[in-house]
Coordinates of all heavy atoms in Angstrom, one line a residue:
M1 N -29.7 56.4 314.4 CA -28.5 56.2 313.6 C -28.7 57.0 312.3 O -29.6 56.7 311.5 CB -28.2 54.7 313.4 CG -27.0 54.5 312.5 SD -26.6 52.7 312.3 CE -25.7 52.4 313.8
T2 N -27.8 57.8 312.0 CA -27.9 58.6 310.7 C -27.3 57.8 309.6 O -26.6 56.8 309.8 CB -27.1 60.0 310.9 OG1 -25.8 59.7 311.1 CG2 -27.7 60.8 312.0
S3 N -27.5 58.3 308.4 CA -27.0 57.5 307.2 C -25.5 57.6 307.1 O -24.8 56.8 306.6 CB -27.6 58.1 305.9 OG -27.3 59.5 305.8
E4 N -24.9 58.7 307.7 CA -23.4 58.8 307.7 C -22.8 57.7 308.6 O -21.6 57.3 308.4 CB -22.9 60.2 308.1 CG -23.2 61.3 307.1 CD -24.5 62.0 307.5 OE1 -24.8 62.0 308.7 OE2 -25.2 62.4 306.6
Q5 N -23.5 57.3 309.7 CA -22.9 56.4 310.6 C -23.0 55.0 310.1 O -22.2 54.1 310.5 CB -23.6 56.5 312.0 CG -23.4 57.8 312.7 CD -24.2 57.9 313.9 OE1 -25.3 57.3 314.0 NE2 -23.8 58.8 314.8
R6 N -23.9 54.7 309.3 CA -24.1 53.3 308.7 C -23.0 53.1 307.6 O -22.7 54.0 306.9 CB -25.4 53.1 308.2 CG -26.4 52.8 309.2 CD -27.7 52.4 308.6 NE -28.4 53.7 308.5 CZ -29.6 53.9 307.9 NH1 -30.1 52.9 307.2 NH2 -30.1 55.1 307.8
Q7 N -22.5 51.9 307.6 CA -21.6 51.6 306.5 C -22.3 51.3 305.2 O -23.4 50.7 305.3 CB -20.7 50.3 306.9 CG -19.6 50.6 307.8 CD -18.8 49.3 308.0 OE1 -19.3 48.2 307.8 NE2 -17.5 49.6 308.3
K8 N -21.8 51.8 304.1 CA -22.5 51.6 302.9 C -22.0 50.2 302.3 O -20.8 49.8 302.5 CB -22.1 52.7 301.9 CG -22.8 54.0 302.3 CD -22.5 55.0 301.2 CE -23.1 56.3 301.6 NZ -22.8 57.4 300.7
I9 N -22.8 49.6 301.5 CA -22.4 48.4 300.8 C -21.5 48.8 299.7 O -21.9 49.5 298.8 CB -23.7 47.6 300.3 CG1 -24.5 47.1 301.5 CG2 -23.3 46.4 299.5 CD1 -25.8 46.4 301.2
Q10 N -20.3 48.2 299.7 CA -19.3 48.6 298.7 C -19.6 47.8 297.4 O -20.0 46.6 297.5 CB -17.9 48.3 299.2 CG -17.5 49.1 300.4 CD -16.2 48.7 300.9 OE1 -15.5 47.9 300.4 NE2 -15.8 49.3 302.0
P11 N -19.4 48.4 296.2 CA -19.7 47.7 295.0 C -18.6 46.8 294.5 O -18.1 46.9 293.4 CB -20.0 48.8 294.0 CG -19.2 49.9 294.5 CD -19.2 49.8 296.0
T12 N -18.1 46.0 295.4 CA -17.0 45.1 295.0 C -17.5 43.8 294.5 O -17.5 42.7 295.1 CB -16.0 44.8 296.2 OG1 -16.8 44.4 297.3 CG2 -15.3 46.1 296.6
W13 N -18.1 43.8 293.3 CA -18.9 42.7 292.8 C -18.0 41.5 292.4 O -18.5 40.4 292.5 CB -19.8 43.1 291.6 CG -19.0 43.6 290.4 CD1 -18.6 44.8 290.1 CD2 -18.5 42.8 289.4 NE1 -17.8 44.9 289.0 CE2 -17.8 43.6 288.5 CE3 -18.6 41.4 289.1 CZ2 -17.2 43.1 287.3 CZ3 -17.9 40.9 287.9 CH2 -17.3 41.8 287.1
L14 N -16.8 41.7 292.0 CA -16.0 40.6 291.6 C -15.6 39.7 292.8 O -15.7 38.5 292.8 CB -14.7 41.0 290.9 CG -13.8 39.9 290.4 CD1 -14.5 39.0 289.4 CD2 -12.5 40.5 289.8
G15 N -15.2 40.4 293.9 CA -14.8 39.6 295.1 C -16.0 38.9 295.7 O -15.9 37.8 296.2
K16 N -17.1 39.6 295.7 CA -18.3 39.0 296.3 C -18.8 37.9 295.4 O -19.3 36.9 295.9 CB -19.4 40.1 296.4 CG -19.2 41.1 297.5 CD -20.3 42.2 297.5 CE -20.0 43.3 298.4 NZ -21.0 44.3 298.5
S17 N -18.7 38.0 294.1 CA -19.1 37.0 293.2 C -18.3 35.7 293.4 O -18.8 34.6 293.4 CB -19.0 37.4 291.7 OG -19.9 38.5 291.5
L18 N -17.0 35.9 293.5 CA -16.1 34.8 293.7 C -16.3 34.1 295.0 O -16.3 32.8 295.1 CB -14.6 35.2 293.6 CG -14.1 35.5 292.2 CD1 -12.7 36.1 292.2 CD2 -14.2 34.4 291.3
A19 N -16.6 34.9 296.1 CA -16.9 34.3 297.4 C -18.2 33.5 297.3 O -18.3 32.4 297.8 CB -17.0 35.4 298.4
G20 N -19.2 34.0 296.6 CA -20.5 33.3 296.5 C -20.4 32.1 295.7 O -21.0 31.1 296.0
V21 N -19.6 32.1 294.6 CA -19.5 30.9 293.7 C -18.7 29.9 294.5 O -19.1 28.7 294.5 CB -18.8 31.3 292.4 CG1 -18.3 30.1 291.7 CG2 -19.7 32.1 291.6
L22 N -17.5 30.2 295.0 CA -16.7 29.2 295.6 C -17.1 28.8 297.0 O -17.4 27.6 297.3 CB -15.2 29.7 295.7 CG -14.6 30.0 294.3 CD1 -13.2 30.6 294.5 CD2 -14.5 28.7 293.5
L23 N -17.2 29.7 297.9 CA -17.5 29.4 299.3 C -19.0 29.1 299.5 O -19.4 28.3 300.3 CB -17.1 30.5 300.2 CG -15.6 30.8 300.3 CD1 -15.3 32.0 301.2 CD2 -14.9 29.6 300.8
G24 N -19.9 29.7 298.6 CA -21.3 29.4 298.7 C -21.6 28.0 298.3 O -22.4 27.3 298.9
L25 N -20.9 27.5 297.2 CA -21.1 26.1 296.8 C -20.6 25.1 297.9 O -21.3 24.1 298.2 CB -20.3 25.8 295.5 CG -20.4 24.4 294.9 CD1 -21.8 24.1 294.6 CD2 -19.5 24.3 293.7
V26 N -19.4 25.4 298.4 CA -18.9 24.5 299.5 C -19.8 24.5 300.7 O -20.1 23.5 301.3 CB -17.5 24.9 299.9 CG1 -17.0 24.1 301.0 CG2 -16.6 24.8 298.7
L27 N -20.4 25.7 301.0 CA -21.3 25.8 302.2 C -22.6 25.0 301.9 O -23.2 24.4 302.7 CB -21.6 27.2 302.5 CG -22.3 27.5 303.8 CD1 -21.6 27.0 305.0 CD2 -22.5 29.0 303.9
A28 N -23.1 25.1 300.6 CA -24.3 24.3 300.2 C -24.0 22.8 300.4 O -24.9 22.1 300.8 CB -24.7 24.7 298.8
Y29 N -22.9 22.4 300.0 CA -22.5 21.0 300.1 C -22.6 20.5 301.5 O -23.1 19.4 301.8 CB -21.2 20.6 299.5 CG -21.2 20.5 298.0 CD1 -20.2 21.1 297.2 CD2 -22.1 19.7 297.4 CE1 -20.2 20.9 295.8 CE2 -22.1 19.5 296.0 CZ -21.2 20.1 295.2 OH -21.2 20.0 293.9
I30 N -22.0 21.3 302.4 CA -21.9 20.8 303.8 C -23.3 20.9 304.5 O -23.6 20.0 305.3 CB -20.9 21.6 304.6 CG1 -20.6 20.9 306.0 CG2 -21.2 23.0 304.9 CD1 -20.1 19.5 305.9
L31 N -24.1 21.9 304.1 CA -25.5 21.9 304.7 C -26.3 20.7 304.2 O -27.0 20.1 305.0 CB -26.1 23.2 304.3 CG -25.5 24.5 305.0 CD1 -26.2 25.7 304.4 CD2 -25.7 24.4 306.5
I32 N -26.1 20.3 302.9 CA -26.8 19.2 302.4 C -26.3 17.9 303.0 O -27.0 16.9 303.3 CB -26.8 19.1 300.9 CG1 -27.6 20.3 300.3 CG2 -27.3 17.8 300.3 CD1 -29.0 20.3 300.7
A33 N -25.0 17.9 303.3 CA -24.4 16.7 304.0 C -25.0 16.5 305.4 O -25.3 15.4 305.8 CB -22.9 16.8 304.1
F34 N -25.2 17.6 306.1 CA -25.8 17.5 307.4 C -27.2 16.9 307.3 O -27.6 16.0 308.0 CB -25.9 18.8 308.1 CG -24.7 19.2 308.9 CD1 -23.8 20.1 308.5 CD2 -24.5 18.5 310.2 CE1 -22.7 20.4 309.3 CE2 -23.4 18.8 310.9 CZ -22.5 19.8 310.5
F35 N -28.0 17.4 306.3 CA -29.3 16.9 306.1 C -29.3 15.4 305.7 O -30.1 14.6 306.1 CB -30.1 17.7 305.1 CG -31.4 17.1 304.7 CD1 -32.5 17.3 305.6 CD2 -31.6 16.4 303.6 CE1 -33.7 16.7 305.3 CE2 -32.9 15.9 303.3 CZ -33.9 16.1 304.2
A36 N -28.3 15.1 304.8 CA -28.3 13.7 304.3 C -27.9 12.7 305.4 O -28.6 11.6 305.5 CB -27.2 13.6 303.2
W37 N -27.0 13.0 306.3 CA -26.6 12.1 307.3 C -27.5 12.1 308.5 O -27.7 11.1 309.2 CB -25.1 12.4 307.7 CG -24.2 11.9 306.8 CD1 -23.6 12.6 305.7 CD2 -23.6 10.6 306.7 NE1 -22.8 11.8 305.0 CE2 -22.8 10.5 305.6 CE3 -23.9 9.4 307.4 CZ2 -22.1 9.4 305.2 CZ3 -23.2 8.3 307.1 CH2 -22.3 8.3 306.0
Y38 N -28.0 13.3 308.9 CA -28.7 13.4 310.2 C -30.2 13.8 310.0 O -30.9 13.9 311.0 CB -28.0 14.5 311.1 CG -26.5 14.1 311.3 CD1 -25.5 14.9 310.8 CD2 -26.2 13.0 312.0 CE1 -24.2 14.6 311.0 CE2 -24.9 12.6 312.2 CZ -23.9 13.5 311.7 OH -22.6 13.1 311.9
G39 N -30.6 13.9 308.8 CA -32.0 14.2 308.5 C -32.9 12.9 308.7 O -32.4 11.8 309.1
P40 N -34.2 13.0 308.4 CA -35.1 11.9 308.5 C -34.6 10.7 307.7 O -34.3 10.8 306.5 CB -36.4 12.4 307.9 CG -36.3 13.9 307.9 CD -34.8 14.2 307.8
G41 N -34.5 9.5 308.4 CA -34.2 8.3 307.7 C -32.7 8.1 307.6 O -32.3 7.0 307.1
G42 N -31.9 9.0 307.9 CA -30.4 8.9 307.8 C -30.0 8.8 306.3 O -30.7 9.3 305.5
I43 N -28.8 8.4 306.1 CA -28.2 8.4 304.8 C -28.8 7.4 303.9 O -28.8 7.5 302.6 CB -26.7 8.2 304.9 CG1 -26.0 8.5 303.5 CG2 -26.3 6.7 305.3 CD1 -26.0 9.9 303.2
D44 N -29.5 6.3 304.4 CA -30.1 5.3 303.6 C -31.5 5.4 303.3 O -32.2 4.5 302.8 CB -29.8 3.9 304.3 CG -28.4 3.6 304.4 OD1 -27.6 3.9 303.5 OD2 -28.0 3.0 305.4
A45 N -32.1 6.6 303.5 CA -33.5 6.8 303.2 C -33.8 6.7 301.7 O -33.0 7.1 300.9 CB -34.0 8.1 303.8
Q46 N -34.9 6.2 301.4 CA -35.3 6.0 300.0 C -35.5 7.4 299.4 O -36.2 8.2 299.9 CB -36.6 5.2 299.9 CG -37.0 4.9 298.5 CD -38.2 4.0 298.5 OE1 -38.8 3.7 299.5 NE2 -38.6 3.6 297.3
D47 N -35.0 7.5 298.2 CA -35.1 8.8 297.4 C -34.5 10.0 298.0 O -34.7 11.1 297.5 CB -36.6 9.1 297.1 CG -37.3 8.0 296.3 OD1 -36.6 7.3 295.5 OD2 -38.5 7.8 296.5
K48 N -33.7 9.8 299.0 CA -33.1 11.0 299.6 C -31.9 11.5 298.8 O -31.7 12.7 298.8 CB -32.6 10.6 301.0 CG -32.3 11.8 301.9 CD -32.0 11.3 303.3 CE -32.0 12.5 304.2 NZ -31.7 12.1 305.6
V49 N -31.2 10.6 298.1 CA -30.1 11.0 297.2 C -30.6 12.0 296.1 O -30.0 13.0 295.9 CB -29.4 9.8 296.6 CG1 -28.4 10.2 295.6 CG2 -28.8 9.0 297.7
Q50 N -31.7 11.7 295.5 CA -32.3 12.5 294.5 C -32.7 13.9 295.0 O -32.4 14.9 294.4 CB -33.5 11.8 293.8 CG -34.0 12.5 292.6 CD -33.1 12.4 291.4 OE1 -32.3 11.4 291.3 NE2 -33.2 13.3 290.5
F51 N -33.3 13.9 296.2 CA -33.8 15.1 296.8 C -32.5 16.0 297.1 O -32.5 17.2 296.9 CB -34.5 14.8 298.1 CG -35.0 16.1 298.8 CD1 -36.0 16.8 298.4 CD2 -34.3 16.5 300.0 CE1 -36.4 18.0 299.0 CE2 -34.7 17.6 300.6 CZ -35.8 18.3 300.2
N52 N -31.5 15.4 297.7 CA -30.3 16.1 298.0 C -29.6 16.7 296.8 O -29.2 17.9 296.8 CB -29.3 15.2 298.8 CG -29.8 14.8 300.1 OD1 -30.7 15.5 300.7 ND2 -29.2 13.8 300.7
M53 N -29.6 15.9 295.7 CA -29.0 16.4 294.5 C -29.7 17.7 294.0 O -29.1 18.6 293.5 CB -29.0 15.3 293.4 CG -28.4 15.7 292.1 SD -28.6 14.4 290.9 CE -30.3 14.6 290.5
W54 N -31.0 17.7 294.0 CA -31.8 18.8 293.5 C -31.8 20.0 294.5 O -32.1 21.1 294.1 CB -33.2 18.4 293.2 CG -33.3 17.6 291.9 CD1 -33.4 16.3 291.8 CD2 -33.1 18.1 290.6 NE1 -33.4 15.9 290.5 CE2 -33.2 17.0 289.7 CE3 -33.0 19.4 290.1 CZ2 -33.1 17.1 288.4 CZ3 -32.9 19.5 288.7 CH2 -33.0 18.4 287.9
M55 N -31.5 19.8 295.8 CA -31.5 20.9 296.7 C -30.2 21.7 296.7 O -30.2 22.8 297.1 CB -31.7 20.3 298.1 CG -33.1 20.0 298.4 SD -34.3 21.3 298.2 CE -33.8 22.5 299.4
I56 N -29.1 21.1 296.2 CA -27.8 21.8 296.2 C -27.8 23.1 295.4 O -27.5 24.1 295.8 CB -26.7 20.8 295.8 CG1 -26.4 19.9 296.9 CG2 -25.4 21.6 295.4 CD1 -25.4 18.8 296.6
P57 N -28.3 23.0 294.1 CA -28.3 24.3 293.3 C -29.3 25.3 293.9 O -29.0 26.5 293.9 CB -28.8 23.9 291.9 CG -29.1 22.5 292.0 CD -28.7 21.9 293.3
I58 N -30.4 24.9 294.5 CA -31.3 25.9 295.1 C -30.6 26.6 296.3 O -30.7 27.8 296.4 CB -32.6 25.2 295.5 CG1 -33.3 24.7 294.3 CG2 -33.5 26.1 296.4 CD1 -34.5 23.7 294.6
L59 N -30.0 25.8 297.1 CA -29.3 26.4 298.3 C -28.1 27.2 297.9 O -27.9 28.3 298.4 CB -28.9 25.3 299.3 CG -28.4 25.6 300.6 CD1 -29.4 26.5 301.4 CD2 -28.0 24.4 301.4
W60 N -27.4 26.7 296.9 CA -26.2 27.5 296.4 C -26.6 28.8 295.8 O -26.0 29.8 296.1 CB -25.5 26.6 295.4 CG -24.2 27.2 294.8 CD1 -23.4 28.2 295.4 CD2 -23.7 27.0 293.5 NE1 -22.4 28.5 294.5 CE2 -22.6 27.8 293.3 CE3 -24.1 26.2 292.4 CZ2 -21.8 27.8 292.2 CZ3 -23.4 26.2 291.3 CH2 -22.3 27.0 291.2
L61 N -27.6 28.9 295.0 CA -28.0 30.1 294.4 C -28.6 31.1 295.4 O -28.4 32.3 295.3 CB -28.9 29.9 293.2 CG -28.3 29.2 292.0 CD1 -29.3 28.8 291.0 CD2 -27.2 30.0 291.4
T62 N -29.2 30.5 296.4 CA -29.7 31.4 297.5 C -28.5 32.0 298.2 O -28.5 33.3 298.5 CB -30.6 30.6 298.4 OG1 -31.7 30.0 297.7 CG2 -31.1 31.5 299.6
L63 N -27.6 31.2 298.6 CA -26.4 31.8 299.3 C -25.6 32.8 298.4 O -25.2 33.8 298.8 CB -25.4 30.6 299.7 CG -25.9 29.7 300.8 CD1 -25.0 28.5 300.9 CD2 -25.9 30.5 302.1
F64 N -25.5 32.4 297.1 CA -24.9 33.3 296.1 C -25.5 34.7 296.0 O -24.9 35.7 296.0 CB -24.8 32.6 294.8 CG -24.1 33.4 293.7 CD1 -22.8 33.6 293.7 CD2 -24.9 34.0 292.7 CE1 -22.1 34.4 292.7 CE2 -24.3 34.8 291.7 CZ -22.9 35.0 291.7
S65 N -26.9 34.7 296.0 CA -27.6 35.9 295.9 C -27.5 36.8 297.1 O -27.4 38.0 297.0 CB -29.0 35.7 295.5 OG -29.7 35.0 296.5
F66 N -27.4 36.2 298.3 CA -27.3 36.9 299.5 C -25.9 37.4 299.7 O -25.6 38.3 300.6 CB -27.8 36.1 300.7 CG -29.2 36.1 300.9 CD1 -30.0 34.9 300.7 CD2 -29.9 37.2 301.2 CE1 -31.3 34.9 300.8 CE2 -31.3 37.2 301.3 CZ -32.0 36.1 301.1
T67 N -24.9 36.9 299.0 CA -23.5 37.4 299.1 C -23.4 38.9 298.8 O -22.5 39.5 299.4 CB -22.6 36.5 298.2 OG1 -22.8 35.2 298.5 CG2 -21.2 36.9 298.3
Y68 N -24.2 39.4 297.9 CA -24.1 40.8 297.6 C -24.6 41.7 298.7 O -24.5 42.9 298.5 CB -24.9 41.0 296.3 CG -24.2 40.3 295.1 CD1 -24.8 39.2 294.6 CD2 -23.1 40.8 294.6 CE1 -24.2 38.5 293.5 CE2 -22.5 40.2 293.5 CZ -23.0 39.0 293.0 OH -22.4 38.4 292.0
L69 N -25.2 41.2 299.7 CA -25.6 42.0 300.8 C -24.5 42.3 301.9 O -24.7 43.1 302.8 CB -26.8 41.4 301.5 CG -28.1 41.3 300.6 CD1 -29.2 40.6 301.4 CD2 -28.5 42.7 300.2
F70 N -23.4 41.6 301.7 CA -22.3 41.9 302.6 C -21.7 43.3 302.3 O -21.8 43.8 301.2 CB -21.1 40.9 302.4 CG -21.4 39.6 303.0 CD1 -21.7 38.5 302.2 CD2 -21.5 39.4 304.4 CE1 -22.0 37.2 302.7 CE2 -21.8 38.1 304.9 CZ -22.0 37.0 304.1
N71 N -21.2 44.0 303.3 CA -20.6 45.3 303.1 C -19.4 45.4 302.2 O -19.2 46.4 301.5 CB -20.3 46.0 304.5 CG -21.5 46.3 305.3 OD1 -22.6 46.6 304.7 ND2 -21.5 46.2 306.6
S72 N -18.6 44.3 302.2 CA -17.4 44.3 301.4 C -17.1 42.9 301.0 O -17.7 41.9 301.6 CB -16.2 44.9 302.1 OG -15.9 44.1 303.2
A73 N -16.3 42.7 300.0 CA -15.8 41.4 299.6 C -15.1 40.7 300.7 O -15.2 39.5 300.9 CB -15.0 41.5 298.3
R74 N -14.3 41.5 301.4 CA -13.5 40.9 302.5 C -14.4 40.3 303.6 O -14.2 39.2 304.1 CB -12.6 42.0 303.1 CG -11.7 41.5 304.2 CD -10.8 42.6 304.7 NE -9.9 42.0 305.7 CZ -10.0 42.3 307.0 NH1 -10.9 43.2 307.4 NH2 -9.1 41.8 307.8
Q75 N -15.5 41.0 303.9 CA -16.4 40.5 304.9 C -17.1 39.2 304.4 O -17.3 38.3 305.1 CB -17.5 41.6 305.2 CG -18.4 41.2 306.3 CD -19.5 42.2 306.5 OE1 -19.8 43.0 305.6 NE2 -20.1 42.2 307.7
A76 N -17.4 39.2 303.1 CA -18.1 38.0 302.5 C -17.1 36.8 302.6 O -17.6 35.7 303.0 CB -18.4 38.3 301.0
W77 N -15.9 37.0 302.2 CA -14.9 35.9 302.3 C -14.7 35.4 303.7 O -14.6 34.2 304.0 CB -13.6 36.3 301.7 CG -13.5 36.2 300.2 CD1 -13.8 37.3 299.4 CD2 -13.3 35.1 299.4 NE1 -13.7 36.8 298.1 CE2 -13.4 35.5 298.1 CE3 -13.0 33.8 299.7 CZ2 -13.2 34.6 297.0 CZ3 -12.7 32.9 298.7 CH2 -12.9 33.3 297.3
L78 N -14.6 36.4 304.7 CA -14.4 36.0 306.1 C -15.6 35.3 306.7 O -15.4 34.2 307.4 CB -14.1 37.2 306.9 CG -12.7 37.8 306.7 CD1 -12.5 39.1 307.5 CD2 -11.6 36.8 307.0
I79 N -16.8 35.7 306.5 CA -18.0 35.1 307.1 C -18.3 33.8 306.4 O -18.5 32.8 307.1 CB -19.2 36.1 307.0 CG1 -18.9 37.2 308.0 CG2 -20.5 35.4 307.3 CD1 -20.0 38.3 308.0
L80 N -18.3 33.7 305.1 CA -18.5 32.5 304.4 C -17.4 31.4 304.7 O -17.7 30.3 304.9 CB -18.7 32.7 302.9 CG -20.0 33.4 302.5 CD1 -20.0 33.6 301.0 CD2 -21.2 32.6 302.9
G81 N -16.2 31.9 304.7 CA -15.1 31.0 305.0 C -15.1 30.5 306.4 O -14.9 29.3 306.7
G82 N -15.5 31.4 307.3 CA -15.6 31.0 308.7 C -16.7 30.0 308.9 O -16.6 29.0 309.7
A83 N -17.8 30.2 308.3 CA -19.0 29.3 308.3 C -18.6 27.9 307.8 O -19.0 26.9 308.3 CB -20.2 29.9 307.6
N84 N -17.8 27.9 306.7 CA -17.4 26.6 306.1 C -16.5 25.9 307.1 O -16.6 24.7 307.3 CB -16.6 26.9 304.8 CG -17.6 27.0 303.6 OD1 -18.5 26.2 303.5 ND2 -17.4 28.1 302.8
V85 N -15.5 26.6 307.7 CA -14.6 25.9 308.6 C -15.3 25.4 309.8 O -15.1 24.2 310.2 CB -13.5 26.9 309.0 CG1 -12.7 26.4 310.2 CG2 -12.6 27.2 307.8
I86 N -16.2 26.1 310.3 CA -17.0 25.7 311.5 C -17.8 24.5 311.2 O -17.8 23.5 311.9 CB -17.8 26.9 312.1 CG1 -16.9 27.9 312.7 CG2 -18.8 26.4 313.1 CD1 -17.5 29.2 313.1
L87 N -18.6 24.6 310.1 CA -19.5 23.5 309.8 C -18.8 22.2 309.4 O -19.2 21.1 309.7 CB -20.5 23.9 308.7 CG -21.5 24.9 309.2 CD1 -22.4 25.4 308.0 CD2 -22.4 24.3 310.3
Y88 N -17.7 22.3 308.6 CA -16.9 21.1 308.2 C -16.3 20.5 309.5 O -16.2 19.3 309.6 CB -15.9 21.4 307.2 CG -16.4 21.2 305.8 CD1 -16.9 22.3 305.0 CD2 -16.5 20.0 305.2 CE1 -17.4 22.1 303.8 CE2 -17.0 19.7 304.0 CZ -17.5 20.8 303.2 OH -18.0 20.6 302.0
S89 N -15.8 21.3 310.4 CA -15.2 20.8 311.6 C -16.2 20.1 312.4 O -16.0 19.0 313.0 CB -14.5 21.9 312.4 OG -13.5 22.6 311.7
L90 N -17.4 20.7 312.6 CA -18.5 20.1 313.3 C -18.9 18.7 312.7 O -19.1 17.7 313.3 CB -19.7 21.0 313.4 CG -20.9 20.5 314.1 CD1 -20.6 20.2 315.6 CD2 -22.0 21.5 314.0
F91 N -19.0 18.7 311.3 CA -19.4 17.5 310.6 C -18.3 16.4 310.9 O -18.7 15.2 311.1 CB -19.5 17.8 309.1 CG -20.1 16.6 308.4 CD1 -21.4 16.2 308.5 CD2 -19.2 15.9 307.6 CE1 -21.9 15.1 307.7 CE2 -19.7 14.8 306.9 CZ -21.0 14.4 306.9
L92 N -17.1 16.7 310.7 CA -16.0 15.7 311.0 C -16.0 15.3 312.4 O -15.8 14.1 312.7 CB -14.7 16.3 310.6 CG -14.4 16.5 309.1 CD1 -13.1 17.1 308.8 CD2 -14.5 15.1 308.3
L93 N -16.3 16.2 313.3 CA -16.3 15.8 314.7 C -17.5 14.8 315.0 O -17.3 13.8 315.7 CB -16.5 17.1 315.6 CG -16.4 16.9 317.1 CD1 -15.0 16.5 317.5 CD2 -16.8 18.2 317.8
L94 N -18.6 15.1 314.4 CA -19.8 14.2 314.6 C -19.6 12.9 313.9 O -20.1 11.9 314.4 CB -21.1 14.9 314.1 CG -21.5 16.1 314.9 CD1 -22.7 16.8 314.3 CD2 -21.9 15.7 316.4
R95 N -18.9 12.9 312.8 CA -18.7 11.6 312.1 C -17.5 10.8 312.7 O -17.3 9.7 312.3 CB -18.4 11.9 310.6 CG -19.5 12.5 309.9 CD -20.7 11.7 309.6 NE -20.3 10.5 309.0 CZ -20.9 9.3 309.2 NH1 -21.9 9.2 310.0 NH2 -20.5 8.2 308.6
G96 N -16.8 11.4 313.7 CA -15.7 10.7 314.3 C -14.4 10.8 313.5 O -13.5 10.0 313.7
G97 N -14.3 11.8 312.7 CA -13.1 11.9 311.9 C -12.0 12.7 312.5 O -10.9 12.8 312.0
L98 N -12.3 13.4 313.6 CA -11.2 14.3 314.2 C -10.7 13.6 315.5 O -11.3 13.0 316.2 CB -11.8 15.6 314.6 CG -12.0 16.6 313.4 CD1 -12.6 17.9 313.9 CD2 -10.7 16.9 312.7

């Protein structure tokens, strides 16, 4: 594959930043929710609340930093938004909310 055939990463930093801030935070919350409810000890495990609280910014900033690797802001919004919809739907389905 030549360099002309590969898509270049577009410098749409504002759109990517907003996707990382908004959708990345929501995605970090749902990933921590899965760990909180279905991880070791369930939701009532000792000291799990404190661990979950400190893991959210680490996970969020990791997702935020990887947002700049998407080819475009549109792709970042679609993939992160789709991941949010799928994971929240799965979480509600497993919790018996749907």
Side-chain angles (χ1 to χ4, degrees):
M1 178 178 276
T2 64
S3 61
E4 292 96 29
Q5 293 173 336
R6 280 186 270 173
Q7 284 186 330
K8 292 184 180 178
I9 295 177
Q10 298 174 4
T12 52
W13 64 270
L14 181 62
K16 291 177 184 180
S17 296
L18 289 174
V21 167
L22 299 173
L23 296 177
L25 179 61
V26 175
L27 191 59
Y29 278 133
I30 191 60
L31 290 172
I32 294 299
F34 271 107
F35 175 75
W37 282 95
Y38 303 115
I43 194 70
D44 296 324
Q46 184 178 2
D47 298 328
K48 197 170 191 181
V49 173
Q50 188 73 22
F51 178 77
N52 293 340
M53 181 183 74
W54 285 103
M55 285 304 295
I56 288 175
I58 294 169
L59 189 57
W60 178 31
L61 292 176
T62 302
L63 290 167
F64 179 72
S65 64
F66 281 112
T67 303
Y68 293 104
L69 296 177
F70 287 110
N71 288 330
S72 66
R74 181 175 185 252
Q75 184 184 24
W77 280 94
L78 289 174
I79 290 176
L80 289 176
N84 277 312
V85 168
I86 290 169
L87 289 175
Y88 268 97
S89 299
L90 179 64
F91 185 75
L92 289 175
L93 185 68
L94 291 174
R95 297 287 309 144
L98 287 179

